[in-house]
Amino acid sequence: DIMMPIMDGYELLDVLRSDIKTLMIPVILLSANACEDSKIKGLNKGADEFLVKPFSARELISRIRANIELS
């Protein structure tokens, strides 16, 4: 059996951005969906970054470092 997630990344963003305790946590969405609409939706919901799978580990690390420096 394949288990489906309880919530997707967009729903998680809604939860994180609606709570004052987690509002400022940087979020990098990782998605298999490369369409522009998915990226725009994620960024509009409050994602700080959006990477498409498969992604480069070096790029992910670089984006994590940049978000740490900004926070």
Side-chain angles (χ1 to χ4, degrees):
D1 289 319
I2 296 174
M3 292 185 61
M4 297 300 291
I6 295 173
M7 68 175 70
D8 64 21
Y10 304 119
E11 293 168 325
L12 177 59
L13 270 171
D14 287 339
V15 171
L16 292 173
R17 296 306 185 231
S18 68
D19 187 333
I20 192 71
K21 295 175 189 171
T22 57
L23 180 64
M24 299 305 293
I25 293 174
V27 175
I28 300 174
L29 284 183
L30 306 174
S31 177
N33 192 342
C35 79
E36 183 181 22
D37 288 344
S38 292
K39 182 175 184 175
I40 298 299
K41 181 179 178 180
L43 294 172
N44 282 339
K45 285 188 169 281
D48 297 283
E49 300 279 352
F50 190 99
L51 293 176
V52 177
K53 298 175 190 175
F55 55 88
S56 155
R58 289 177 50 197
E59 182 180 11
L60 176 60
I61 291 168
S62 175
R63 293 196 187 209
I64 290 170
R65 283 189 180 133
N67 276 279
I68 289 170
E69 289 173 11
L70 290 172
S71 62

